[in-house]
């Protein structure tokens, strides 16, 4: 079983809608959780991280963590065409970072 | 803050040669650096974890004698691809960690082996 699992997509949403990206992880010892955005041909850039159960909001982005269900999600409100990218979920276990395979998001104008 | 650089950004080499890629944290000290490889349309694959002053920890299936990692200081880690072959052509990305919450990526190095 992979450490981190994501639906590969592609996920398409109309401009202005809410995009919901999901991620599950296998190690209950996971300490912190990250969402990265990667544009084609570029390296990932950090969107936000979360380590406590519940929601964390930053602008149009909200990360949600449920440690009991081993589930972390990212909501993007008022989606823009510039949000079209691959979104990577990452989990920190001890000194290791593990990435999911990423979900491709397309925001349709 | 939290800027990570990589050099070179792009390299083309002949099969059988060795290529060194540098990863630097410019404005912070990185206790840990990570090296990843990404093939087209695939996810990041962690190759190894590098801690300053100690041997790197390699992921299963990554040849430590082929991918030499040196983390000589808190701001510099190098990855040397020895005797590169066309199948080593990939996008190599490093990241540097300054805290439990901070893991910052470099811009990546595109390696093409002819």
């Amino acid at each position: 079983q992979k450490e981190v699992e994501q639906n590969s997509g592609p996920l398409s949403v109309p401009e202005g809608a809410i995009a919901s990206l999901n991620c599950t992880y296998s190690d209950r010892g996971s300490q912190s959780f990250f969402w990265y955005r990667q544009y084609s041909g570029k390296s990932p850039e950090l969107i936000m991280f979360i380590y406590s159960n519940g929601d964390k909001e930053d602008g149009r982005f909200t990360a949600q963590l449920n440690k009991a269900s081993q589930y972390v999600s990212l909501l993007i409100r008022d989606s823009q065409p510039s949000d079209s990218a691959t979104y990577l979920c990452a989990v920190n276990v001890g000194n290791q970072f593990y990435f999911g395979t990423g979900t491709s998001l397309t925001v349709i104008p | 803050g939290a800027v990570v650089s990589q050099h070179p950004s792009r390299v083309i080499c002949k099969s059988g040669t060795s290529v060194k890629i540098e990863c630097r944290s410019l404005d912070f000290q990185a206790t840990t650096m990570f090296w990843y490889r990404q093939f087209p349309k695939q996810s990041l694959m962690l190759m190894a974890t590098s801690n300053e002053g100690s041997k790197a920890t390699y992921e299963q299936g990554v040849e430590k004698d082929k991918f030499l990692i040196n983390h000589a200081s808190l701001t510099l880690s190098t990855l040397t691809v020895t005797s590169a072959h066309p199948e080593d052509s990939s996008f190599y990305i490093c990241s540097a960690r300054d805290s439990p919450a901070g893991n910052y990526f470099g811009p990546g190095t595109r390696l093409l082996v002819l």
Side-chain angles (χ1 to χ4, degrees):
Chain A
Q1 182 183 3
K2 293 182 181 177
E3 294 281 348
V4 182
E5 302 223 28
Q6 294 180 254
N7 288 327
S8 61
L11 173 66
S12 294
V13 299
E15 184 174 356
I18 295 176
S20 177
L21 304 161
N22 304 314
C23 174
T24 58
Y25 59 94
S26 61
D27 192 331
R28 287 194 174 273
S30 301
Q31 297 152 307
S32 46
F33 309 85
F34 301 77
W35 282 100
Y36 289 84
R37 176 173 60 196
Q38 186 176 25
Y39 293 110
S40 180
K42 302 294 185 182
S43 66
E45 54 181 335
L46 179 67
I47 299 174
M48 62 192 306
F49 66 91
I50 186 169
Y51 50 82
S52 298
N53 273 328
D55 295 0
K56 180 179 179 181
E57 187 174 315
D58 184 359
R60 295 187 295 114
F61 300 97
T62 299
Q64 299 174 316
L65 175 61
N66 184 326
K67 289 187 178 182
S69 300
Q70 296 176 246
Y71 174 93
V72 58
S73 66
L74 179 70
L75 301 177
I76 307 174
R77 289 182 298 282
D78 188 24
S79 296
Q80 301 297 310
S82 58
D83 295 326
S84 298
T86 297
Y87 288 80
L88 301 169
C89 171
V91 170
N92 171 216
V93 182
N95 200 31
Q96 302 291 337
F97 271 78
Y98 296 100
F99 283 84
T101 54
T103 299
S104 174
L105 171 67
T106 300
V107 180
I108 304 167
Chain B
V3 178
V4 178
S5 70
Q6 277 185 245
H7 178 79
S9 58
R10 186 182 298 266
V11 57
I12 301 173
C13 69
K14 292 182 179 179
S15 184
T17 60
S18 294
V19 175
K20 180 186 283 189
I21 303 170
E22 293 185 349
C23 176
R24 292 182 185 273
S25 56
L26 298 184
D27 51 0
F28 66 97
Q29 292 185 327
T31 54
T32 305
M33 290 184 172
F34 302 90
W35 286 97
Y36 302 86
R37 180 167 54 180
Q38 187 174 38
F39 293 106
K41 298 190 184 302
Q42 294 188 22
S43 183
L44 288 172
M45 295 294 295
L46 178 65
M47 299 176 68
T49 301
S50 170
N51 293 298
E52 186 265 339
S54 63
K55 290 184 179 180
T57 303
Y58 289 81
E59 294 298 301
Q60 190 173 10
V62 178
E63 300 175 56
K64 60 180 67 176
D65 294 331
K66 181 169 180 64
F67 299 100
L68 301 178
I69 292 173
N70 184 5
H71 195 155
S73 75
L74 285 171
T75 59
L76 173 64
S77 177
T78 61
L79 168 68
T80 301
V81 183
T82 61
S83 186
H85 288 93
E87 59 267 29
D88 297 323
S89 299
S90 189
F91 190 36
Y92 290 85
I93 309 173
C94 73
S95 70
R97 188 178 185 190
D98 67 344
S99 68
N103 185 28
Y104 305 97
F105 283 88
T109 297
R110 291 208 175 276
L111 171 64
L112 177 61
V113 185
L114 301 176

